[in-house]
Amino acid sequence: RYRYYQNVCAQSYSFAWWDWARWEREIDWMALSGINLAPAFAGQEAVWQRVYRNLGLNQSEIDKYFTGPAFLAWNRMGNLRRWAGPLPPAWHFKQLYLQYRIVERMRSLGMTTVLPAFAGHVPQGILRVFPRVNATRLGHWSHFDCTYSCIYLLDPEDPMFQVIGTLFLKELIKEFGTDHVYSADTFNEMTPLSSEPAYLSRVSNAVFRSMTGADPKALWLMQGWLFQHQPDFWQPAQVRALLHGVPLGRMIVLDLFAESKPVYQWTESFYGQPFIWCMLHNFGGNHGLFGTVEAINQGPFAARRFPNSTMVGTGLVPEGIEQNDMVYELMNELGWRQEPLDLPSWVLRSVYNCTGVCVNHNRSPLVRRPSLRMDTELWYNASDVYEAWRLLLSAGAELGSSPTFLYDLVDVTRQAAQQLVGDYYLSIRQAFQSRALPELLTAGGVLVYDLLPELDSLLSSHGLFLLGRWLESARAVATSDREAEQYELNARNQVTLWGPSGNILDYANKQLGGLVLDYYAVRWSLFVSVLVESLNSGRPFHQDQFNQAVFQVERGFIYNKKRYPAVPAGDTMEISRKLFLKYYP
């Protein structure tokens, strides 16, 4: 029945700065791909602000709650507050305008829009206005302390739960109309206050009732991420309780990471609630060739054959887009098929076929903070990528004018360079551990002064691999210099430190022209010189001391005030060929 698309995180990792022209392209692509169910989440903060003001909160209490634009996904799920905020009034106007157009276009193309609903999280100001309200602070999220996390959760039995939830949804429906499907995530990566099944049923029932209070036909779409993220808490009894707080058939669960960690198999098909088999594939919008094609090709069909299966669709739920396009084409194709495809005819293997439990988070030393304990493991033969690189270059004369060919050439050259960085790292580590100064200087010198600058110029030659494109799109949303500065800092922080002190450091790493040279390469340069200094002085290398020093470099990048070009420069073919002649193993 459904072909679903979009991950709540992608709203921040990929869509944060989009204008209508970019949204229009995406919605066209969705239509061409047969997507018929997708979230429309823009503009919700404007509606929430209206609701909070009507309830008696003042602006400063609201400003202490919303995060900046690049982090709203986690504010909406009750993980994060205030960080990189507040949201300027102009932001709300622009997002409302976008949302009108988004829902209008999606519906005109026959898609069912999913609107946000109330999950129970509230600003602290609610406790001032309603001192008797029963709300509890959740714990801290990820590596953030209570300065920016520990959000209040309303007790499901508290009458204000229904008042706030229904008020918000009525306001939202009045504004945008509805297709009767709503999304809410109460416990995304957050441990519930009690593991009592009765409590968990009360929470999900309260969320559902606040939906039906505004729309009697409401269907709740819920991410199933929590069940596989905290399996120790979510035992069968807890999962069943949460799912059965809602009448059967009135909830659809997204089995979010089904290609690697399916939940339907150990929950008797979500205990009777319908579910969508989703491919997550990508974390943080990282670059890096990756796929689990055999798992994808078999998974949805196995889920349909599962005893008493309640599967009602397939879905694409990457945390970030604009990478590994072919894998998404494959997944879209499967939504239409009765049985698995013939993979050899899709020429997908090797780097695209990670087997076992695969988590595609780019761990290459290229995009991680340097240390002596870095992971260089690959799930494929490095030689396959080098051979693909050679073959692509040999077709250059024939295909050099094709934009899609040039995109692939950059992507495969980038992957080859990423592998080479891993090799140079191993040489650096080996030289340091065997106290071989000349070898350390050679390997470190080649990495810092040639390979990384060359990779940066390769990426700078293609429009889709520019740091400037990300930063300038952030500035373009602004209506004043002050906003432009705030938005640019949001954009820079997200792809690097992800928080004030590297709380989720490099989670959303990207390989972009400008970022490689002024962020990753500067870190490597510091690492190599600290190792050289350690050999010269005979003092041991201390990771903690290095981390403190390198943090200044990372933070320095965020505040460097440099404007990066949003237009490519240089000849992609030529740069790739030059790299090839120097580095092809």
Side-chain angles (χ1 to χ4, degrees):
R1 168 73 183 86
Y2 296 115
R3 287 166 304 284
Y4 177 83
Y5 168 57
Q6 284 185 34
N7 182 313
V8 286
C9 300
Q11 314 283 330
S12 292
Y13 285 136
S14 293
F15 316 156
W17 315 112
W18 283 5
D19 57 9
W20 169 242
R22 182 62 187 84
W23 269 111
E24 188 173 37
R25 285 193 57 184
E26 196 71 8
I27 296 167
D28 286 350
W29 175 85
M30 286 158 62
L32 289 167
S33 305
I35 304 296
N36 62 5
L37 179 66
F41 280 1
Q44 59 180 289
E45 283 71 28
V47 178
W48 270 121
Q49 177 156 293
R50 208 177 301 161
V51 169
Y52 294 147
R53 293 300 290 264
N54 290 344
L55 289 167
L57 272 74
N58 60 44
Q59 192 58 45
S60 78
E61 289 170 319
I62 296 169
D63 287 346
K64 282 193 196 113
Y65 186 65
F66 291 143
T67 60
F71 302 95
L72 283 171
W74 301 278
N75 181 244
R76 293 165 180 175
M77 292 185 283
N79 303 136
L80 206 57
R81 61 192 178 87
R82 248 188 76 200
W83 168 244
L87 292 174
W91 171 265
H92 295 303
F93 285 117
K94 289 194 157 199
Q95 292 299 306
L96 279 175
Y97 164 80
L98 275 178
Q99 175 75 345
Y100 287 129
R101 303 195 73 168
I102 289 165
V103 295
E104 186 276 324
R105 179 61 55 87
M106 282 174 64
R107 288 171 183 153
S108 75
L109 291 167
M111 295 175 204
T112 300
T113 57
V114 180
L115 294 176
F118 179 56
H121 313 113
V122 291
Q124 191 171 348
I126 291 284
L127 282 73
R128 176 188 62 80
V129 184
F130 305 102
R132 308 246 296 280
V133 79
N134 182 1
T136 319
R137 276 191 109 163
L138 290 165
H140 65 88
W141 174 69
S142 192
H143 301 285
F144 282 88
D145 64 17
C146 289
T147 317
Y148 295 113
S149 70
C150 309
I151 287 181
Y152 284 91
L153 182 66
L154 268 188
D155 185 271
E157 311 280 82
D158 194 291
M160 282 310 291
F161 197 106
Q162 298 308 315
V163 172
I164 294 174
T166 301
L167 203 61
F168 170 70
L169 215 47
K170 281 183 168 161
E171 193 68 31
L172 197 73
I173 292 167
K174 192 173 83 189
E175 198 84 39
F176 303 120
T178 186
D179 298 323
H180 314 294
V181 186
Y182 305 98
S183 160
D185 294 295
T186 305
F187 299 122
N188 177 63
E189 300 190 1
M190 305 299 277
T191 307
L193 302 165
S194 158
S195 60
E196 263 309 298
Y199 166 76
L200 295 168
S201 279
R202 282 203 303 274
V203 174
S204 56
N205 188 257
V207 172
F208 182 65
R209 274 185 310 156
S210 78
M211 292 175 183
T212 53
D215 178 359
K217 292 195 197 145
L219 246 180
W220 178 5
L221 183 87
M222 186 183 84
Q223 296 188 93
W225 176 254
L226 68 174
F227 303 134
Q228 72 79 33
H229 186 260
Q230 290 178 301
D232 296 346
F233 179 92
W234 294 103
Q235 300 284 316
Q238 284 70 26
V239 177
R240 186 192 296 263
L242 190 76
L243 296 176
H244 283 183
V246 177
L248 283 186
R250 298 296 293 274
M251 176 187 256
I252 298 174
V253 186
L254 300 176
D255 202 346
L256 211 73
F257 197 13
E259 79 272 32
S260 284
K261 298 180 181 178
V263 172
Y264 77 88
Q265 293 173 350
W266 58 270
T267 55
E268 298 168 25
S269 200
F270 292 98
Y271 302 112
Q273 291 289 21
F275 79 94
I276 293 176
W277 193 100
C278 296
M279 173 187 82
L280 204 165
H281 180 266
N282 179 276
F283 290 90
N286 300 164
H287 289 112
L289 301 183
F290 179 81
T292 55
V293 292
E294 279 184 73
I296 295 161
N297 198 30
Q298 301 297 329
F301 306 101
R304 287 192 66 183
R305 290 192 304 269
F306 191 74
N308 303 318
S309 175
T310 51
M311 175 176 160
V312 292
T314 52
L316 281 74
V317 293
E319 284 190 354
I321 62 165
E322 299 184 340
Q323 39 74 28
N324 293 294
D325 312 65
M326 200 150 166
V327 177
Y328 297 94
E329 294 299 322
L330 176 75
M331 189 63 222
N332 276 335
E333 180 68 27
L334 289 168
W336 301 95
R337 294 303 180 114
Q338 307 273 328
E339 65 230 12
L341 294 158
D342 174 42
L343 283 181
S345 67
W346 275 70
V347 291
L348 288 176
R349 55 184 185 85
S350 173
V351 71
Y352 285 123
N353 193 26
C354 186
T355 54
V357 177
C358 298
V359 179
N360 172 31
H361 219 143
N362 195 335
R363 297 244 176 267
S364 162
L366 168 62
V367 291
R368 295 288 173 167
R369 182 187 273 175
S371 81
L372 292 171
R373 290 196 300 275
M374 300 185 88
D375 181 9
T376 56
E377 286 292 295
L378 301 176
W379 60 93
Y380 59 94
N381 287 332
S383 57
D384 292 343
V385 167
Y386 293 132
E387 176 62 0
W389 184 20
R390 188 185 70 77
L391 290 167
L392 274 175
L393 273 175
S394 68
E398 218 172 312
L399 297 171
S401 59
S402 152
T404 40
F405 170 80
L406 290 173
Y407 172 82
D408 284 343
L409 180 64
V410 173
D411 207 18
V412 171
T413 309
R414 179 206 52 67
Q415 186 74 15
Q418 175 182 297
Q419 292 173 183
L420 290 161
V421 171
D423 296 342
Y424 278 95
Y425 163 70
L426 291 176
S427 306
I428 288 166
R429 187 171 72 184
Q430 177 58 45
F432 176 74
Q433 286 166 345
S434 54
R435 314 195 63 76
L437 189 60
E439 284 82 350
L440 175 59
L441 288 166
T442 304
V446 172
L447 176 66
V448 170
Y449 297 113
D450 193 79
L451 180 54
L452 292 175
E454 287 284 12
L455 172 58
D456 194 82
S457 63
L458 170 85
L459 297 167
S460 301
S461 75
H462 196 286
L464 291 173
F465 290 92
L466 296 175
L467 174 64
R469 175 172 171 257
W470 172 245
L471 300 183
E472 293 302 321
S473 66
R475 297 184 72 93
V477 181
T479 56
S480 70
D481 289 349
R482 204 172 140 198
E483 277 176 29
E485 250 171 66
Q486 182 194 353
Y487 294 169
E488 182 171 348
L489 291 177
N490 264 256
R492 285 175 181 247
N493 182 279
Q494 189 206 82
V495 297
T496 54
L497 289 177
W498 212 128
S501 53
N503 308 58
I504 317 182
L505 181 69
D506 297 316
Y507 181 99
N509 64 73
K510 307 282 182 293
Q511 291 171 41
L512 300 170
L515 192 63
V516 168
L517 198 60
D518 288 353
Y519 180 72
Y520 301 127
V522 181
R523 283 204 300 208
W524 278 107
S525 177
L526 182 65
F527 183 67
V528 172
S529 53
V530 169
L531 293 184
V532 169
E533 172 58 25
S534 162
L535 287 191
N536 278 336
S537 67
R539 283 192 294 274
F541 169 80
H542 288 294
Q543 187 69 42
D544 294 352
Q545 285 171 5
F546 174 74
N547 288 350
Q548 283 171 3
V550 81
F551 174 67
Q552 298 309 322
V553 166
E554 293 158 344
R555 210 171 161 278
F557 163 76
I558 293 177
Y559 294 98
N560 75 11
K561 294 266 201 270
K562 185 167 159 186
R563 291 294 285 270
Y564 290 88
V567 179
D571 180 330
T572 303
M573 286 279 298
E574 214 170 287
I575 300 164
S576 177
R577 194 173 284 119
K578 192 165 123 197
L579 266 161
F580 183 84
L581 292 172
K582 267 196 271 195
Y583 289 104
Y584 179 70

